[in-house]
Amino acid sequence: MDIVNKLLEALCTSMENPAVQEKLCNIFTSTSTLLDNVKNELAGLKAMEDGVLHIQEEANRTGKRLTPPVQTWLENAHLGEKYNMMNQLKDDYKNRGCLVGSCSLNCWAKYKLNQRSIKLVKEIKNLKTEHDTFKEKTEAQPPRAVKEIPTSSIVVGKIIKLNLEKVRGYLADDNVSMVGIWGMGGVGKTTLLIEINNSFLGGDINIGFKHVIYLVVSKEPQFEQLQKKISKRLGLSPDSEKSDIFEFLKNKDFLILLDDMWKAVDLPEDLGIPLPRHQNQSSEDRGQRYKHKVIFTTRKNDVCTCMNAHQKIKVEYLNREEAWHLFKQHSNDGFIRSNTNNEELAKKVMEKCQGLPLALKVIGRAMSNKTTHEEWEDMLTSLLKVDIETMPDMEESLFNILKLSYDNLAGEPLRQCFLSCAQWPEDERIPVLELIEYWIGFGLIDDFENIGEAFNKGHSFMRKLNEACLFELESDSDEDCVKLHDMIRDMALWIVSECGKKKRKWIVGANHDDLSQFLKSEIDNLKETELIFLGGYNNGRLLELLNDQNIDEQEQVPVTPTSPRCSNLKSAYLINAVHGWSLNFFPHMPSLTYLNLAGAKIKSLPKEIRVLVNLRYLNISSTEIESLPPELEELKELKYFICRDDLLGSTEIDGLSTIARLPKLQVLDVYGILWSEAEDLRLLIGKVKAITMQVYSVEILGLLKYLPTWNIKLSPLDNMPMPILQFRDLSYKHGEGLMMLEVAYCHFEELLINGSGVSLKYISLDNLHYLKQITWPEKVVPSQCFRRLASISVDNCFSLKSLSWVLHLRCLKKLTVKGCAMEELFNPADQTQQASSDLVTFPSLQYLSIKIMPCLVSLSTCLLDFPVLSKFELKDCPKLKRLPFKSSIVDNKFKFVSVDKEFWEGLEWKDTTIKSHLTKCLLLSV
C-alpha cells in the first residue's frame, strides 16, 4: 500500500511539471485542430514570403538586393518543403485507421503525429517572429561599371571607327574632360556614342573609370527621370536627390555619355553631376585626382560652345564608298548585281541620299522589294525633286527624303499605324502589345473575327514598318517594344501637320514647345486639333483650358455647348494625366471616338459623358471609379470597353450591366473586376469578339466555352466537379483568340491541352498544390500547339513532376519556376517530346529563373541547348550540383547570372571555360 501511495504521489508531483502537462495536452488535443493550426500558420508565412519576394523583385529593378539576414530567412522558409510536410501529416492522419495492435499503439502514433504538427507550427511561428524583427530588408547592390547598349546588326563603318579612335585619345588626355559630338540628325552620332559605351565591355580600353553611364536626354529632358536612372546605375536609393548623386560622384572616376542634347544642360543643377575639369588645372587638385569626363551628342554646334566642350567632333556624311556599302546592305542586292545598268541606276539613287546614314537605310529598305527598272527610275525622279544641297532648311529636306519611304507603304491603314507611333514621347520604348491595342481601339485594325486575328494583323504591320526602317523592334524576355529614331518621329509629326501647315492638329505631351505656343494663342485654335496625347504628363494648364466651360444662368453646364471648343477632336489619350480634375470637358468634344483615362485619379464619370455619341473606345483602367453612370447607355457606338484593375484585383464596380447591353460592344476587358452576374455575361454570347476577365465561380467558368476569351485568370475556384481543367472549355472555338491564361489557388489535378492554343503567349500556374500533370491528346505535340507561347511561370505547384514539354517551344523567351518539389525539370527522353534528337532545345529562351527548389537534383540528365540565353537566376536549390550547359553557351552574351554564393562555389564543372564565361556577368547573393 505504501508503494502505491508513493507512486500516486510521484504521479501527482509530475503532473505539476509544465513539460508533462504539455505532453499530456498533446495526447488529448485533436489532431485535426493541430493540422488546421499548421494550415493557418503556413498561410501567414506564405503571405510574408510573397511580400519578401515582391521586395526582392523591386530591389532587382532598382539596383538593390536583399540584406543577408533577409536572404537567409528566405532560404530557411522553404515553403515548398513545409507544404510537403503538411501534406504528409494529413496523409498520415487519414491513414491512422490502418494501424493494428493495441490501443496504446494508436495513442502513441497520435502523440507522435501531434508532436510533429506542433514542431512544424513552432518552426513557422519562429520564422514569422524573425521576419517581424527586420528593420531594413534591402541594401545597395554594387553597380556594374558599364551596361551594354543593344546595337544594330549592321557593321560599323570606317568613319565611326576613326571617330572612336579620336574619342579614345581624348579619354586618355588629362587636358580634355568635355567632348561634344555634333552633326545633322540621322548622321550617326548615337551609333558612335553607343560604340564608345560598348567599347568598355571588352576591356580594350583600360582607362580606369569606376562608372560609365549612358543617358538619353532628348529634346524635352525629364531631369527627375534621368536622376533616377543615374541613381539606379550607381546603386543608390531610388529616392536619392541630385545632391546625393553629386556627393557620391565627386570622389569617383566617372564617364557620363549624354545622347541627343538640344540645349545646354547645367550638369550639377539639373543632374547632380560634378562639372568635369582639366585634371591638372586647379590648385584644388593637390590631393587625389579623379577622372570626371562627359561626352555628349547634339545636332547643334552652338550647344558644344555653351557646354564649354574642350574638344568637338563633327560627324560628317559618309563617303561614296561607305554610303554605297550601307545602301546595298538594306536594298535589293539581287537587282543591283543583275546588270551594270541597274547598278548605275542604284548608285544614282544612293547618291541622292547625300551620304546620310539614316536616309541610306530608309530609302535602301524602301527599294528592297523593287525589282523593275521602272520602279527604280520612279524613286530617282522623286529624289531629284528634293535637292538636299539647295534647300535652306536641312531638316525639312531630310523629311522630304524620308517621306518617300512613308509614301511607299502599302495602304492608308499601315501609314496611319506608323504615324500613330509619333504620339509617344521622343526616345520612348513603346510596348508592342500596347501599340497594337491602340491600333485596334482607334479603328486602324477593325475587320476581324476574333482578337487573335486582330493581333496577327498588328504584328504583320509591325514587321512591315520594321522592314521599312521606319522604326526598330527591340525584343527581350520581358516585352517586345518599338522605338522610333527621333528624326523619323519628327518626320511623322511633320507629315501629320500637313508639312508644317497645321501645327496644332496634334497636341502631344512631349512637344512642350508646340504646347506652350498653343496655350498662348486663342482658344479657337483648338478647333483644328484632332488628337491630344498627354501620356504621363500632368499639364494642368491644358486641362484647365479644357475644363473652362460656359455656364448658363442657372450655373449649370449645358449638355451641348453652343460652340464646341474641340469640335474636331477624335482622340484623347490622358493616362495618368488627370489628377484632381473634374471631367467637365466632354460637351466640348462631340466628335471624340477614342478616350483613354487609365490611371486617372477620378472617382466617377460625369453624366455629361452621354454627349460622346461617337465614342468607340473607353478605357478607365486603374481609376478610383466604383460605379458607372446609367448615361453610358447613350454610347450606342461604343465597341471597346477597358476597365482593368491589375493592382488591386477583385474590385467591384456597379453598373456593368449597362455595358453588357450596349448594341455594338465588341471587346470587353474587365480583368480584376468582380463580375458576378452570369445573366449579364450570357448577353455577350454571340456578340463580342473578345473578353478578358477573372473567373471566381464555377457557373461563370462554364460559360467561357461560349465566349471568345482573350486573357483569362481562374482564381480561386473551389468545389470543382471535375479534377481536370480542359483547355477547350476556356474559350469559344477551342481558344483561337486566348492569349493569356493564369490559374491560381485551384484544386485541379490535370490540365488537358485539347484546344488549338495557337494564340497563347503567356501561362501562369500559381499555387496549384494538386496539379500533377499537363497532358495532350494522342499525336498532339506541345510545340505545334503552342506556336507563340513566350512566357511560362510555375509557382508552388508541389505535385507537378516535370516541365519537359517546354523544351522545344520555339517562341518561349521567359521561364520561371519557383517553390516546386521536382527532382528533375527537363527530360528530353520524355514521351511528350518529339522523338527527333536533332531539335534544338530552348531555341528562343532568354530568361531562366529557378528558385526555392529543395528537391531539385538535376535540371536535366542530358546537356541542353540555350542558344540565346542572356539572363539566368538560380536560388535556393541545395541539392543541385551541375548545370546542363553545352560548350556553345560561351558564345552567348549574358546580361547577368544571379546565383547564391555558396551554391556557385559548390558547383561541379566538366568544362571550366563555361564557368569563366558566366563569371563575367555573375551577381552573387550571400
Side-chain angles (χ1 to χ4, degrees):
M1 193 66 179
D2 290 337
I3 295 175
V4 174
N5 290 333
K6 287 181 180 180
L7 286 173
L8 289 173
E9 183 179 350
L11 180 60
C12 292
T13 302
S14 63
M15 291 281 287
E16 296 175 359
N17 188 318
V20 174
Q21 291 175 354
E22 182 180 0
K23 289 183 179 181
L24 289 172
C25 181
N26 293 345
I27 293 174
F28 294 105
T29 300
S30 166
T31 304
S32 61
T33 300
L34 292 174
L35 289 176
D36 286 341
N37 290 343
V38 172
K39 181 180 179 181
N40 293 335
E41 293 293 340
L42 204 50
L45 183 63
K46 176 66 170 63
M48 287 181 174
E49 188 213 36
D50 288 344
V52 172
L53 290 172
H54 177 72
I55 290 171
Q56 186 180 46
E57 291 173 1
E58 286 294 319
N60 290 338
R61 282 195 290 268
T62 56
K64 303 180 79 174
R65 64 184 178 187
L66 296 178
T67 60
V70 177
Q71 184 66 46
T72 302
W73 180 90
L74 195 57
E75 294 168 3
N76 291 337
H78 281 316
L79 271 180
E81 181 180 341
K82 288 174 175 55
Y83 271 106
N84 287 337
M85 293 169 65
M86 180 181 71
N87 290 333
Q88 185 61 52
L89 287 169
K90 288 181 177 179
D91 290 342
D92 292 346
Y93 179 61
K94 289 178 182 178
N95 297 331
R96 68 193 186 282
C98 299
L99 290 171
V100 294
S102 65
C103 176
S104 60
L105 181 59
N106 281 278
C107 289
W108 178 250
K110 178 184 177 182
Y111 169 74
K112 296 298 290 183
L113 191 60
N114 287 7
Q115 282 290 92
R116 287 162 54 199
S117 301
I118 291 168
K119 181 181 179 182
L120 182 55
V121 167
K122 284 184 177 180
E123 185 179 342
I124 296 171
K125 284 184 175 181
N126 288 339
L127 284 167
K128 293 167 72 175
T129 301
E130 183 182 357
H131 173 276
D132 293 337
T133 63
F134 296 137
K135 294 182 179 180
E136 297 292 336
K137 292 186 174 66
T138 60
E139 63 183 10
Q141 186 161 251
R144 294 188 200 172
V146 187
K147 182 179 179 181
E148 183 177 10
I149 308 297
T151 59
S152 169
S153 59
I154 301 301
V155 178
V156 175
K158 293 180 182 177
I159 291 179
I160 294 292
K161 291 180 179 178
L162 289 173
N163 284 328
L164 184 58
E165 288 300 320
K166 281 186 184 179
V167 172
R168 288 175 172 174
Y170 294 147
L171 290 175
D173 189 344
D174 287 344
N175 294 313
V176 178
S177 295
M178 179 86 74
V179 179
I181 300 172
W182 70 285
M184 185 176 176
V187 80
K189 303 183 298 296
T190 296
T191 301
L192 174 56
L193 201 65
I194 290 175
E195 286 298 313
I196 294 169
N197 179 87
N198 291 351
S199 67
F200 287 87
L201 294 167
D204 57 338
I205 300 180
N206 187 18
I207 306 180
F209 289 109
K210 181 71 174 177
H211 303 283
V212 179
I213 301 176
Y214 179 97
L215 298 170
V216 179
V217 180
S218 297
K219 189 173 184 178
E220 293 296 331
Q222 304 296 311
F223 290 121
E224 288 186 8
Q225 295 300 320
L226 291 173
Q227 289 171 24
K228 289 181 179 179
K229 290 180 179 180
I230 295 172
S231 297
K232 181 177 180 179
R233 287 286 290 113
L234 296 177
L236 302 177
S237 166
D239 300 327
S240 297
E241 299 180 353
K242 57 190 176 186
S243 59
D244 300 314
I245 297 172
F246 187 92
E247 288 299 318
F248 183 88
L249 283 176
K250 71 178 183 180
N251 295 327
K252 301 287 191 305
D253 297 320
F254 67 79
L255 170 63
I256 307 294
L257 306 174
L258 303 175
D259 192 23
D260 195 22
M261 282 176 48
W262 285 71
K263 54 189 176 184
V265 173
D266 188 325
L267 295 175
E269 179 62 29
D270 295 331
L271 296 173
I273 297 172
L275 280 174
R277 58 181 182 271
H278 297 322
Q279 298 303 303
N280 59 359
Q281 73 176 17
S282 174
S283 60
E284 297 175 2
D285 294 337
R286 293 171 183 168
Q288 184 175 357
R289 297 175 181 178
Y290 297 98
K291 294 181 180 180
H292 294 176
K293 301 208 175 194
V294 172
I295 302 176
F296 62 89
T297 68
T298 179
R299 296 185 191 180
K300 302 176 182 178
N301 186 21
D302 291 347
V303 175
C304 297
T305 303
C306 294
M307 290 294 294
N308 297 317
H310 305 135
Q311 292 290 343
K312 303 177 185 178
I313 298 176
K314 182 179 180 182
V315 181
E316 302 285 357
Y317 300 157
L318 300 182
N319 59 39
R320 196 172 189 271
E321 179 185 353
E322 286 214 298
W324 179 235
H325 179 67
L326 181 61
F327 184 79
K328 287 194 299 180
Q329 280 184 294
H330 289 82
S331 193
N332 189 337
D333 194 46
F335 171 85
I336 293 171
R337 289 188 290 107
S338 60
N339 60 64
T340 55
N341 289 335
N342 288 351
E343 182 174 344
E344 288 303 313
L345 177 58
K347 285 183 177 179
K348 289 179 181 179
V349 173
M350 175 272 297
E351 287 170 353
K352 295 308 297 179
C353 296
Q354 298 293 321
L356 194 65
L358 181 61
L360 289 162
K361 288 169 63 177
V362 171
I363 297 301
R365 190 54 62 91
M367 303 309 295
S368 62
N369 62 345
K370 308 302 182 187
T371 57
T372 67
H373 203 81
E374 290 78 11
E375 289 174 310
W376 282 77
E377 284 281 6
D378 182 58
M379 175 59 76
L380 180 59
T381 301
S382 299
L383 285 167
L384 287 171
K385 296 177 182 178
V386 183
D387 192 340
I388 195 170
E389 291 183 327
T390 60
M391 293 186 73
D393 189 336
M394 293 290 286
E395 188 173 274
E396 187 167 322
S397 66
L398 177 58
F399 290 166
N400 278 281
I401 292 177
L402 297 177
K403 186 177 180 293
L404 296 175
S405 180
Y406 164 82
D407 294 335
N408 192 57
L409 293 174
E412 189 61 23
L414 184 58
R415 295 190 186 100
Q416 291 301 316
C417 285
F418 161 68
L419 294 178
S420 72
C421 301
Q423 299 174 56
W424 278 264
E426 185 176 280
D427 296 311
E428 183 161 315
R429 298 171 74 248
I430 312 169
V432 164
L433 295 182
E434 180 181 330
L435 186 55
I436 294 179
E437 281 190 40
Y438 176 83
W439 290 346
I440 295 170
F442 197 65
L444 301 177
I445 300 175
D446 197 26
D447 186 18
F448 57 90
E449 290 298 321
N450 61 64
I451 200 70
E453 185 181 315
F455 272 85
N456 288 344
K457 187 73 170 180
H459 285 290
S460 175
F461 282 172
M462 293 274 179
R463 180 181 54 80
K464 291 175 182 177
L465 293 173
N466 186 53
E467 289 174 351
C469 286
L470 289 175
F471 61 44
E472 295 181 8
L473 275 172
E474 298 182 355
S475 178
D476 60 30
S477 58
D478 295 321
E479 61 181 354
D480 295 338
C481 292
V482 164
K483 187 176 180 181
L484 270 69
H485 188 286
D486 51 2
M487 285 297 293
I488 296 290
R489 178 179 180 272
D490 290 345
M491 181 267 290
L493 291 174
W494 177 76
I495 292 173
V496 166
S497 68
E498 299 178 17
C499 303
K501 296 175 183 176
K502 293 184 177 180
K503 292 187 176 181
R504 299 179 186 88
K505 193 171 181 179
W506 281 17
I507 301 173
V508 293
N511 195 341
H512 289 292
D513 288 343
D514 288 348
L515 187 56
S516 299
Q517 183 180 358
F518 156 73
L519 292 174
K520 292 176 183 177
S521 60
E522 296 295 328
I523 289 177
D524 288 343
N525 285 322
L526 271 170
K527 291 182 178 180
E528 76 176 31
T529 302
E530 295 182 6
L531 179 147
I532 294 175
F533 185 108
L534 293 185
Y537 297 89
N538 186 1
N539 193 292
R541 179 67 186 96
L542 178 59
L543 294 172
E544 182 181 359
L545 185 63
L546 294 174
N547 270 318
D548 182 20
Q549 301 187 51
N550 300 318
I551 306 297
D552 62 19
E553 294 178 358
Q554 286 76 35
E555 296 186 354
Q556 297 293 319
V557 178
V559 173
T560 305
T562 55
S563 178
R565 189 171 298 148
C566 309
S567 55
N568 292 308
L569 188 68
K570 294 180 174 61
S571 175
Y573 194 102
L574 307 174
I575 64 170
N576 296 315
V578 183
H579 296 278
W581 289 92
S582 58
L583 303 181
N584 296 326
F585 43 72
F586 293 146
H588 290 299
M589 306 173 178
S591 301
L592 200 65
T593 62
Y594 180 98
L595 177 61
N596 194 331
L597 297 169
K601 301 301 181 185
I602 53 175
K603 296 185 180 298
S604 63
L605 290 171
K607 63 182 180 181
E608 286 79 18
I609 197 171
R610 68 180 182 270
V611 304
L612 303 182
V613 293
N614 296 301
L615 197 66
R616 293 161 41 98
Y617 177 98
L618 175 61
N619 190 332
I620 56 170
S621 299
S622 301
T623 61
E624 298 174 5
I625 294 173
E626 297 179 356
S627 178
L628 301 178
E631 285 78 11
L632 285 178
E633 66 183 6
E634 301 294 328
L635 306 185
K636 305 297 185 183
E637 297 297 316
L638 195 70
K639 292 184 176 182
Y640 308 94
F641 180 74
I642 316 295
C643 185
R644 304 185 186 113
D645 189 0
D646 298 324
L647 298 177
L648 298 177
S650 306
T651 303
E652 289 193 59
I653 292 184
D654 294 330
L656 286 173
S657 297
T658 303
I659 300 298
R661 288 167 171 76
L662 291 175
K664 293 190 177 182
L665 189 69
Q666 292 185 2
V667 175
L668 176 67
D669 186 344
V670 286
Y671 184 89
I673 305 299
L674 185 59
W675 188 302
S676 56
E677 296 298 329
E679 288 304 315
D680 290 338
L681 207 56
R682 287 189 176 92
L683 295 175
L684 303 176
I685 296 175
K687 182 171 73 170
V688 296
K689 295 181 178 181
I691 185 168
T692 288
M693 64 186 307
Q694 191 163 342
V695 178
Y696 302 91
S697 73
V698 174
E699 183 183 13
I700 289 181
L701 176 62
L703 294 175
L704 295 186
K705 66 181 71 175
Y706 307 109
L707 293 164
T709 57
W710 174 11
N711 299 330
I712 290 296
K713 181 173 183 178
L714 312 180
S715 175
L717 281 175
D718 294 324
N719 304 318
M720 288 299 301
M722 293 288 290
I724 300 176
L725 176 63
Q726 299 194 53
F727 193 86
R728 68 184 180 189
D729 291 340
L730 298 177
S731 187
Y732 178 63
K733 289 187 178 180
H734 306 300
E736 288 181 359
L738 185 60
M739 295 179 63
M740 182 180 79
L741 173 63
E742 295 186 70
V743 188
Y745 297 97
C746 298
H747 292 170
F748 300 114
E749 296 179 9
E750 180 181 344
L751 175 58
L752 176 59
I753 310 297
N754 55 358
S756 67
V758 292
S759 296
L760 200 68
K761 299 195 71 172
Y762 177 84
I763 288 180
S764 174
L765 307 175
D766 183 12
N767 279 281
L768 305 181
H769 300 163
Y770 301 93
L771 182 66
K772 297 177 181 178
Q773 56 186 346
I774 300 171
T775 58
W776 283 261
E778 189 177 355
K779 297 182 180 180
V780 176
V781 180
S783 60
Q784 294 174 347
C785 181
F786 291 145
R787 298 174 188 171
R788 300 174 188 170
L789 188 57
S791 177
I792 299 174
S793 174
V794 181
D795 187 355
N796 287 326
C797 296
F798 310 131
S799 302
L800 198 59
K801 299 302 181 186
S802 173
L803 287 175
S804 300
W805 59 275
V806 309
L807 279 168
H808 303 295
L809 298 180
R810 62 188 183 186
C811 292
L812 185 65
K813 295 181 181 180
K814 185 174 183 178
L815 175 62
T816 63
V817 188
K818 186 182 71 176
C820 297
M822 303 173 199
E823 296 182 3
E824 181 182 17
L825 283 186
F826 318 114
N827 182 2
D830 193 302
Q831 292 182 356
T832 63
Q833 297 308 302
Q834 295 92 329
S836 173
S837 59
D838 298 329
L839 288 171
V840 175
T841 57
F842 298 115
S844 301
L845 192 69
Q846 298 177 28
Y847 179 88
L848 176 61
S849 176
I850 303 169
K851 297 180 180 179
I852 316 177
M853 303 281 283
C855 303
L856 189 65
V857 176
S858 169
L859 298 186
S860 173
T861 53
C862 303
L863 295 180
L864 303 176
D865 297 294
F866 292 92
V868 294
L869 188 66
S870 61
K871 300 176 182 178
F872 180 49
E873 281 188 297
L874 198 56
K875 303 286 181 67
D876 301 333
C877 303
K879 295 184 179 180
L880 189 63
K881 297 300 179 185
R882 292 186 178 182
L883 300 177
F885 294 148
K886 291 185 177 180
S887 57
S888 57
I889 199 77
V890 299
D891 297 326
N892 290 30
K893 291 185 177 180
F894 275 90
K895 295 181 179 178
F896 69 78
V897 177
S898 180
V899 298
D900 297 323
K901 182 177 181 181
E902 184 178 350
F903 166 80
W904 180 258
E905 293 171 351
L907 276 176
E908 300 171 4
W909 302 91
K910 285 187 177 180
D911 187 346
T912 55
T913 58
I914 296 178
K915 180 181 181 181
S916 301
H917 179 66
L918 298 180
T919 302
K920 297 176 184 177
C921 298
L922 188 62
L923 299 174
L924 292 175
S925 300
V926 178

